[in-house]
Amino acid sequence: MAEQAGWSTRRVETGNGLTFNVAEQGDAGGRAVLLLHGFPQTHRCYDALAQRLVPHGLRLLAPDQRGYSPGARPVEVEAYSIDELAGDAARILDAYGIEQADVVGHDWGAVVGWALAATRPERVRTLTAVSVPHPRAMGAALADESSGQRERSAYIQLFRQPGKAEDVLLEDDAARLRAVFEPLPQSAAEPHVRALSDPATLTAALNWYRAMRAEVSAALPPVSVPTTYVWSSGDIAIGRAAAELCAGQVTGPYRFVELDGISHWIPDQAPDALAAAVLERLG
């Protein structure tokens, strides 16, 4: 088990032929919190948040998700559907013998959290979704030309192009990939750039975008578990329309936390505010 930034990492088999690298931190007997990262990051995006949650006696589990873990990297694009990704989260909990966890997800990790809570609510005690709203809220914003969300999401067209996206992101010592992390310092981006600079890892990560299907997102039901959605007015990828439409996709207790001027990288840039939101949701 390797130690890094306070994490202990172990290989976890999920019974479907995949083996995930799962980083652990905190009290092994504590309340389980499942931390789900997004693109183009790894579990290391939660370094700062973990420092703030561990003193509260919590058990943190942060997997490098499908495609990011070398032992969980199917070749087929279809293997990266949202149902498969949510299934991974449930199977990781199964492997630990955990019936129910508090789930925190950022970016694509938020999408996995929404899907897990919507389709397997018995596995999710609470959900804290960061930056990205419920997929149906996102779809509604994309359908509204006046929202500006289509322009904000235009980069996805590149990410869905096999080969070209990899070339663009990795050329010139991964300059475009590094630029994605602005305004974070390079020290914060480096663990992720190092991991995603491997072409196989990057292709697998981009397959999340390539497996996207609008009809699947549109069919995802509302979430009934207690939910907090954290969004920032400085997010260049997610506009206010999508953020505010999120409330209509939660039938359980709901809180919308708006941060002012923070970028898309909330866990890195505003860990104190995020920790406060998570702890309040956990009660």
Side-chain angles (χ1 to χ4, degrees), residues 34-38 46 65 103-114 127-132 228-230 267 274 278:
L34 184 65
L35 302 171
L36 302 170
H37 68 81
Y46 289 115
Q65 296 196 74
V103 177
V104 179
H106 174 252
D107 186 76
W108 262 110
V111 179
V112 176
W114 288 115
L127 172 65
T128 302
V130 188
S131 298
V132 177
T228 294
Y229 173 49
V230 184
L274 180 54
V278 170

Side-chain angles (χ1 to χ4, degrees), residues 56 82 169:
H56 296 271
I82 188 59
L169 290 169

Side-chain angles (χ1 to χ4, degrees), residues 168-257:
V168 169
L169 290 169
L170 294 181
E171 67 186 2
D172 191 21
D173 190 29
R176 293 281 185 87
L177 179 60
R178 295 176 188 278
V180 170
F181 292 97
E182 293 177 356
L184 298 183
Q186 282 301 307
S187 58
E190 193 55 41
H192 316 302
V193 172
R194 188 165 56 247
L196 275 294
S197 291
D198 170 52
T201 308
L202 180 58
T203 292
L206 289 167
N207 280 344
W208 289 46
Y209 290 94
R210 294 163 186 167
M212 288 169 57
R213 299 293 179 266
E215 63 273 16
V216 174
S217 296
L220 198 69
V223 166
S224 59
V225 306
T227 298
T228 294
Y229 173 49
V230 184
W231 172 79
S232 173
S233 62
D235 193 324
I236 62 171
I238 308 294
R240 181 173 295 279
E244 294 185 346
L245 285 166
C246 192
Q249 300 302 324
V250 181
T251 60
Y254 178 71
R255 182 177 180 228
F256 175 45
V257 176

Side-chain angles (χ1 to χ4, degrees), residues 67-208:
Y68 295 78
S69 285
R73 189 171 294 159
V75 175
E76 306 81 6
V77 170
E78 301 75 34
Y80 295 84
S81 69
I82 188 59
D83 188 59
E84 291 286 355
L85 301 171
D88 289 339
R91 284 184 287 268
I92 288 169
L93 294 179
D94 289 342
Y96 279 90
I98 296 170
E99 292 186 9
Q100 196 175 53
D102 298 282
V103 177
V104 179
H106 174 252
D107 186 76
W108 262 110
V111 179
V112 176
W114 288 115
L116 182 66
T119 61
R120 300 166 177 85
E122 72 282 356
R123 308 306 303 270
V124 181
R125 184 184 288 109
T126 68
L127 172 65
T128 302
V130 188
S131 298
V132 177
H134 189 289
R136 285 175 66 175
M138 189 67 158
L142 286 167
D144 179 1
E145 292 187 15
S146 67
S147 72
Q149 188 57 54
R150 291 185 190 178
E151 292 75 13
R152 290 175 181 268
S153 299
Y155 67 91
I156 294 176
Q157 296 176 15
L158 169 63
F159 287 180
R160 286 171 63 88
Q161 297 181 50
K164 182 177 180 180
E166 286 88 337
D167 290 344
V168 169
L169 290 169
L170 294 181
E171 67 186 2
D172 191 21
D173 190 29
R176 293 281 185 87
L177 179 60
R178 295 176 188 278
V180 170
F181 292 97
E182 293 177 356
L184 298 183
Q186 282 301 307
S187 58
E190 193 55 41
H192 316 302
V193 172
R194 188 165 56 247
L196 275 294
S197 291
D198 170 52
T201 308
L202 180 58
T203 292
L206 289 167
N207 280 344
W208 289 46

